[in-house]
Amino acid sequence: MRWFAQLRMRMQMLFGRGKAAVRLDEELRYHLEEQIAENIAGGMSAEEARYAAMRAFGNPALLREQARATWSWTWLELLLRDVRYGVRTLARTPGFAAVAILVMALGIGANVALFTVVRSVLLKPLPFKDPDRLMMLYENSSEQFPYNAIAGGVFAEWQKQNRSYSNLSLIGDAELNLSGAGGQLPEKMRGGNCTWNFLDTLGVQPALGRNFTSADDQLSANGTVLITWGLWKRRFGGNPAILNQSIRLNGRPYTVIGILPAWFAYPDASTQLWTPVYHDKPAEVMAKVGFHMFGAIGRLKPGVAAEQGVADLSVITRRVHDQHLDNPLVSKAANSLPLLEDMVGEVKRPLYVLLAATGCVLLIACLNVANLLVARAAARRKELAVRTALGGSRLRLLRERLMESFLLSAAGGAAGLMLAYGAVKWLVHTRQDMSRVESIHIDGFVAAVTAGLIVLCALFAGLISSLSTKNNQLLVSLQDSARGSSAGHARARLRMTLLAAEVGLTVVLLISAGLLLKSYEHLRSSDVGCATRNVLTMQLDVFGARYRQPAQLVNFYSELLARVRALPGVDAAGFVQAVPGQGYWGDDAFAIVEHPPLPKGQAQFAINRWADPGYFAAMGIPILRGHTFDPNRQLDHANQAVISDSFAKQYFPAEDPLGKHLHFEDRDYEIAGIVADTRYLLAKDPKPMQYYPLLTGLQNNGALVTRSSRDAEQLALPVQRIVQEMDHDLAVSDVLTMDQLLGKSTQDESFNATLLVAFAALSLLLAGVGLFGVLSYMVAQRTSEIGIRIALGAQREQVLLKVLLDGLRPALFGLALGLVGSVGAARLIRSMLFGTQPLDPMVFADVSAMLLLVAALACLVPAWRASRLDPMQALRTE
Amino acid sequence: MGKPSDLVQGTLDLLILKTIQLEPMHGWAIAKRIQQVSGEVLQVQQGSLYPALHRLEQQGWIKAKWAESETGRQAKFYALTAAGRGQLEKETSNWNRLSAAIDLIVTEA
């Protein structure tokens, strides 16, 4: 029961504190009065009795304090008093407080935002059942392609023979055309093909309706589809009646059997539909062992290591390989990555680099606030010395200092949290392409981390500034302020060290940002190899029963291109599988008929593209020799190929390629022309490319490109209208100008460079402000000294120079420190650089020059002010 | 000036608990009683009782009640709680052990 009594006592003391204080006074007074009464009864005079009672009692004020100190919540009382003091002191210098809070807010805000992203994207486990056991599986084809896509035939063997995974499921991308119904427009969207056990493998249940069954996952089954929550809300109004209704995908009917949970976004939020793979794909595609086109997810059995799983699959793959020695495309081994790693591996390094950068910004912010606090402490030296002399405890003074820095950090942290909230919102909005972006949000854990950051910053800034106050130099402090002498140098030295550290960190950030910026500019200015101005691109999939025959496809392409070319304002139009800068897309094996056959089991690959005869002219890709495809040769007669310059150089080093034949997918094509190289990605060097005629009618999707002499975006609507008129079930997607497309493909680099530059600029500003503040303060402290110097005949230029050098010394020291640190930092971001050396001398030189310039500017104002001092006034200031 | 530390460390608590064992008392009476019973040997600074009383109250060893004193005024009376009784026994036996040990050393030497 004692705990209960104690609890009651605590509550009484918390809420009845004022009353208890009154009661305590009464109690003490009662005692004194009793004693006085007794003394008087013993024969003393009233006054004598009073003094005697007081003597026996002791100092009532002190005893009252001691009694109060035994009460619960005393710490709270003291804390509140400290807070009150702190707020009052800070409010006396609102400018200082505002600057310090702003600095802290920026530092903490940036960190919280980046930490939120890192935690949500990289650290949080995937929202699936036992996500640690989920592996993304690959074929290990060669040293060049250690993580290759999986062939259907190989997967079938894995499925049959493996003993390491409790579930294996195949997944593949699918571009799906959702036909419009009831006045809705058709829509082209990303979807996925999967084996029926896909959701079981992940450990997910549909939110509504049912999962696939093995009966759905067959060629003969009726079409079934699972749709995401987002699509259901957006396209079907969130109406459960859509269940068991039929929708048309790529012209075929599919029954909606279930709706995925709202949180489900795999591999990202843009994948909106899932259909069974064995129903959608022809049996011969699923049986191919050298046609790499799928991904697979495996769930490791409990206790089985990832390596064991890979070894198991590799043995099976090797067996398949040995059974198909004539096919050079069959892999010999398998590979795997943890599913999370597979999803976020690419953004890992950039995110950590950005987090490190924000960490630097925060450190600089703390150093700056510490510096400001040191300045205040120095200005209040006399006050503090007097208080110490009067018996103020050292702990008490330290506590006050920490409280001040804590108040600044807390206010900054609160503002920073709001800042972070906005930043995260912006980031999620702008980076829809990033994996797991949908899972990013500020939660309790992030809030707790923010609180931790606040305390850390408060301790850091507060303790550093407290270090500068040496209480044992009490007397020195009191004497120091005597007229005519200058402030002690020890304190200045501490502040100079802080400044140098600040400048050093800033240099590291500036150089990293500079390198990324240069790399990005390099990337954007690299020549993709084709026209990029006024070129409009859009993706088109030609699906449906109307295009089963190659001839139907060829008719569609011919009519489409003829009508687009006839539009006013269109200079040229063409159709290609993928335009330059759009990505690798795909490669294929080929053989040169005139060359001796390759040894059994070997093959040569090149990127392949299906293109219409007008494509090269439309994209402005120069034809170096020969000519483009003959537009009159169509279907089986379209037997010409075009190769790129690097293809010619690599595979026909000593002969004329024109007139030679390429054997490709069971047909022979005569090489009719050689075109200039283009880059499949801006960041990659051109690779050999082989072009085959679209007019064979073998390819049913790609990009329509339209070139105009004026703003190509104006053509977007008219071209889309033509597609609609030709077939109202077809939808175009990704309507982008070439410039936009290239910008999108370099979005990551642009994003990283922009953010890092912003952080670096922020730190430069902070460092500049820090320099300015410290030097201004030093000049103010030394006003009388400078006054005397000038009065004694010092030249104003000399004074200017001396103060300037005082300020520049820590900047120079920091610069040297920063340059050394940057060498290490540059190595870390090497893999993010394109066409830029990590030790790029231009960047290092530019950054050094810029830093010195900013430092000089920051120092110039106080130095100039010092040199303009009026000696008479300066000497009167104290 | 005599401070509570002039007493053997921690004995003030024991003295207070022992003094109010029989009946609830107010601060002044406790001070008087300690002085009288110890034959004026223990000169407790009267005021220093109060921090000790408040500490014991916070710890739940004693409880306080305002009541009319013998002189007809309101005074704060302290009484032992059940937990306080246990504490008193513990501290008494502690004290006995300690004083016996000291006694042993002092007489042996």
Side-chain angles (χ1 to χ4, degrees), chain A residues 2 5-6 9 13 23-24 26-31 33-35 38 53 55-59 63 66-67 70-72, chain B residues 1 26-28 31-32 45-48 50-51 53-55 57-61 66 69 71 73-76 78 83:
Chain A
R2 186 169 152 240
Q6 277 182 333
M9 201 67 192
M13 295 324 288
R23 282 275 159 113
L24 175 62
E26 273 175 40
E27 193 182 3
L28 297 182
R29 195 164 58 233
Y30 173 78
H31 183 117
E33 281 166 12
E34 285 292 305
Q35 187 66 46
E38 197 194 65
R55 257 198 312 279
F57 191 79
N59 178 353
L63 288 164
Q66 283 176 1
T70 67
W71 295 355
S72 322
Chain B
M1 264 217 212
H26 53 74
W28 186 67
K32 285 273 133 203
Q45 184 201 2
Q46 292 179 5
S48 66
Y50 290 91
L53 283 169
H54 279 249
R55 189 177 61 249
E57 190 187 2
Q58 292 293 325
Q59 284 169 340
W61 306 132
W66 284 80
S69 72
T71 55
R73 287 185 55 184
Q74 284 287 314
K76 195 178 180 188
Y78 293 94

Side-chain angles (χ1 to χ4, degrees), chain A residues 139-141 154 157 289 313-333 600-602:
Chain A
E139 287 186 22
N140 186 347
S141 298
V154 170
E157 291 306 314
V289 290
L313 295 184
S314 289
V315 169
I316 302 168
T317 315
R318 180 80 202 200
R319 218 174 284 148
V320 177
H321 175 267
D322 292 346
Q323 286 159 4
H324 297 85
L325 284 175
D326 56 324
N327 188 339
L329 305 178
V330 184
S331 311
K332 292 180 201 155
K600 196 176 162 187
Q602 282 190 22

Side-chain angles (χ1 to χ4, degrees), chain B residues 30-81:
Chain B
I30 296 173
K32 285 273 133 203
R33 175 70 63 86
I34 291 175
Q35 255 168 10
Q36 280 164 12
V37 174
S38 73
E40 309 282 328
V41 173
L42 291 176
Q43 286 290 338
V44 182
Q45 184 201 2
Q46 292 179 5
S48 66
L49 264 183
Y50 290 91
L53 283 169
H54 279 249
R55 189 177 61 249
L56 290 172
E57 190 187 2
Q58 292 293 325
Q59 284 169 340
W61 306 132
I62 61 178
K63 59 185 181 219
K65 208 172 116 188
W66 284 80
E68 202 164 290
S69 72
E70 54 276 22
T71 55
R73 287 185 55 184
Q74 284 287 314
K76 195 178 180 188
F77 282 80
Y78 293 94
L80 272 188
T81 61

Side-chain angles (χ1 to χ4, degrees), chain B residues 7-21:
Chain B
L7 286 171
V8 179
Q9 188 74 35
T11 41
L12 185 58
D13 285 5
L14 177 59
L15 292 182
I16 293 172
L17 292 177
K18 186 75 192 168
T19 311
I20 59 171
Q21 188 185 13

